[in-house]
Amino acid sequence: MSVPHTASEPRAVRGMRVVEHRFTVPLDHSRPGGEQISVFAREYSDPAVSGDVPWLLYLQGGPGGKGNRLLQFGGWTKAASRHFRILMLDQRGTGLSTPANRQSLALRGDAAAQAEYLTHFRADSIVADAELVRAALGSGPWSIYGQSYGGFCALTYLSFAPDGVKEALITGGLAPLTGPADRVYRATFARVAARNAEYFAKYPQDRETATRIFRHLEAVPESLPDGSRLTPGRFQMAGSFLGGNTRMDGLHYLLEEAFLPTPEGPRLSDTFLAGMWQLAERSTNPLYALMHESIYGQEQATNWAAWRVLQFRPDFMPDAPEPLFTGEMVYPWYFEEDPALRPLRQTADLLAAKPDWPALYDCRQLAANTVPVAAAVYTDDIYVDRDLSLETAEAVRGLKVWETAEFHHDGIADDGEGIFNRLLGMVRGGG
């Protein structure tokens, strides 16, 4: 199937050749003649690299993450640009692709109509989009690189369209192939608890500060820049800092500016509140909250799995004596406290209750895989559990694993060039 495709004239941006691509694809790939949506992608290449340069499709983390907007080559893109034309895909619903947020989803109708629409925004649809994009660009099998959720998409690609893939690189993104979402959160709550312990061992003074903020928020209303209240639960979302080498110390810098004296007594500073707002609001990526648990949904409902597992983790309760910070778990109250998500609460409940999500992986195909695949598994990753990752690696024929405790989930922000080069060498015959 060929799809409409337009491309901009190339332009130069700080040593890069940049071309913008727009494609028209079916909303529902099982109905190619039905409703159509737009998918956007931006091509980056090095004009100094000559010859017939092959494509590398980058699959962004998320869900709900748009392709990176490069200002210049650096990190993994610097390494990749020596070998490839990089295609940064705005996965459907994100960036300049047809949007899916509280504003645009209202056009679909009621919550049931919105939820039905969003069933077409998982990895299976993203992969089907990618195959149409590949054909429109005239590419043979291409290389793919998946970070985090992008790695989940890469496994879906290898399951249902392996003929379109020459080689696959994955960082922090080996999804569990089977089982309920509950086991994901049982594992990741344990990882996050260990990371909390590591953080407070490094910054012991922050244990008192964090507990003081929790107790303060229980007693004193504090508002974020959008006017919504910063609750103890939303403060726990600062745990997103704990997911990386390069970001963990940022949590300390946030907490050290928490309080200041005012005529009404100690209050949280505007600097702290602005920092928390950037962490706690989802206006720029609502699909993350809406679709997050669905990435683990296969032939059964997720039913707010993280929230249910939380009930067995009193150490993560906001009213615990010394509450812990959370990871990337999504809870139903997000859709009550975040103004950007509030209109989507019923939609989120319907997605959580959906009992018949189709399978995202073909385990038989993966067991017979012939595409070269290499994956970086981070030993202490709080988002994609190490043990579940290695279980998946064993189920994919020929997949080469590089496990390291040197990096956390944001490893490519720390040493993207080194990690990319190592994985590329592995798929091309290295160790």
Side-chain angles (χ1 to χ4, degrees), residues 286-360:
L287 284 179
Y288 179 87
L290 280 165
M291 304 300 295
H292 181 72
E293 287 201 355
S294 78
I295 69 177
Y296 303 114
Q298 300 192 85
E299 301 171 331
Q300 60 186 301
T302 59
N303 285 324
W304 296 113
W307 178 249
R308 290 185 290 101
V309 174
L310 174 66
Q311 310 313 307
F312 299 94
R313 293 299 312 235
D315 47 342
F316 282 95
M317 292 294 186
D319 59 356
E322 293 186 328
L324 300 182
F325 292 107
T326 56
E328 63 175 6
M329 299 78 173
V330 174
Y331 305 130
W333 57 257
Y334 283 19
F335 293 85
E336 298 166 3
E337 298 187 4
D338 187 340
L341 298 179
R342 223 171 268 148
L344 301 171
R345 174 59 195 267
Q346 286 184 281
T347 304
D349 282 337
L350 290 171
L351 291 170
K354 181 177 171 58
D356 55 351
W357 289 110
L360 289 168

Side-chain angles (χ1 to χ4, degrees), residues 176-178 183 386-396:
L177 302 178
T178 60
R183 73 181 189 129
R386 175 256 187 200
D387 294 344
L388 296 180
S389 294
L390 294 182
E391 174 187 293
T392 293
E394 286 291 324
V396 181

Side-chain angles (χ1 to χ4, degrees), residues 46-386:
D46 184 345
V49 178
S50 59
D52 186 15
V53 183
W55 288 99
L56 173 74
L57 173 69
Y58 180 62
L59 296 165
Q60 175 65 280
K66 63 186 178 183
N68 295 345
R69 270 55 177 164
L70 301 185
L71 302 177
Q72 61 185 19
F73 288 131
W76 77 263
T77 62
K78 181 179 179 181
S81 68
R82 301 187 187 109
H83 307 276
F84 300 102
R85 285 184 285 176
I86 302 168
L87 192 69
M88 291 286 185
L89 179 69
D90 282 357
Q91 298 170 12
R92 51 171 54 198
T94 75
L96 294 178
S97 297
T98 299
N101 58 26
R102 65 178 175 85
Q103 296 164 302
S104 65
L105 286 171
L107 296 170
R108 307 302 307 185
D110 63 12
Q114 293 175 26
E116 170 58 27
Y117 179 72
L118 290 173
T119 62
H120 304 296
F121 283 72
R122 296 201 309 160
D124 46 359
S125 296
I126 293 167
V127 166
D129 291 344
E131 275 296 272
L132 293 179
V133 167
R134 183 177 66 84
L137 292 173
S139 174
W142 56 7
S143 304
I144 62 174
Y145 173 28
Q147 156 65 12
S148 188
Y149 173 64
F152 292 29
C153 294
L155 291 169
T156 301
Y157 217 140
L158 295 172
S159 293
F160 300 118
D163 291 345
V165 183
K166 176 185 177 182
E167 57 197 1
L169 314 181
I170 296 172
T171 48
L174 288 182
L177 302 178
T178 60
D182 301 52
R183 73 181 189 129
V184 172
Y185 295 109
R186 285 194 294 268
T188 52
F189 269 116
R191 298 277 181 201
V192 178
R195 188 64 164 159
N196 271 265
E198 182 182 350
Y199 174 78
F200 287 122
K202 183 174 184 178
Y203 294 107
Q205 69 274 27
D206 287 358
R207 178 64 273 177
E208 181 181 349
T209 302
T211 303
R212 182 185 175 195
I213 294 171
F214 278 110
R215 301 293 88 90
H216 174 83
L217 291 171
E218 291 172 349
V220 180
E222 294 277 11
S223 296
L224 297 172
D226 63 358
S228 64
R229 184 167 179 175
L230 177 60
T231 61
R234 295 182 88 184
F235 172 51
Q236 286 181 289
M237 295 169 72
S240 62
F241 277 114
L242 300 179
N245 291 54
T246 59
R247 300 187 70 236
M248 188 176 83
D249 300 301
L251 178 55
H252 172 68
Y253 297 141
L254 176 71
L255 296 183
E256 71 180 2
E257 295 189 88
F259 286 101
L260 80 173
T262 77
E264 293 79 32
R267 297 296 296 265
L268 295 177
S269 71
D270 285 344
T271 300
F272 174 83
L273 292 168
M276 277 305 312
W277 181 63
Q278 292 177 336
L279 297 170
E281 66 89 29
R282 293 292 180 191
S283 62
T284 59
N285 62 341
L287 284 179
Y288 179 87
L290 280 165
M291 304 300 295
H292 181 72
E293 287 201 355
S294 78
I295 69 177
Y296 303 114
Q298 300 192 85
E299 301 171 331
Q300 60 186 301
T302 59
N303 285 324
W304 296 113
W307 178 249
R308 290 185 290 101
V309 174
L310 174 66
Q311 310 313 307
F312 299 94
R313 293 299 312 235
D315 47 342
F316 282 95
M317 292 294 186
D319 59 356
E322 293 186 328
L324 300 182
F325 292 107
T326 56
E328 63 175 6
M329 299 78 173
V330 174
Y331 305 130
W333 57 257
Y334 283 19
F335 293 85
E336 298 166 3
E337 298 187 4
D338 187 340
L341 298 179
R342 223 171 268 148
L344 301 171
R345 174 59 195 267
Q346 286 184 281
T347 304
D349 282 337
L350 290 171
L351 291 170
K354 181 177 171 58
D356 55 351
W357 289 110
L360 289 168
Y361 312 107
D362 183 335
C363 293
R364 293 180 63 182
Q365 176 60 45
L366 292 174
N369 174 63
T370 59
V371 177
V373 190
V377 173
Y378 305 127
T379 302
D380 301 309
D381 196 329
I382 68 171
Y383 297 143
V384 181
D385 179 71
R386 175 256 187 200

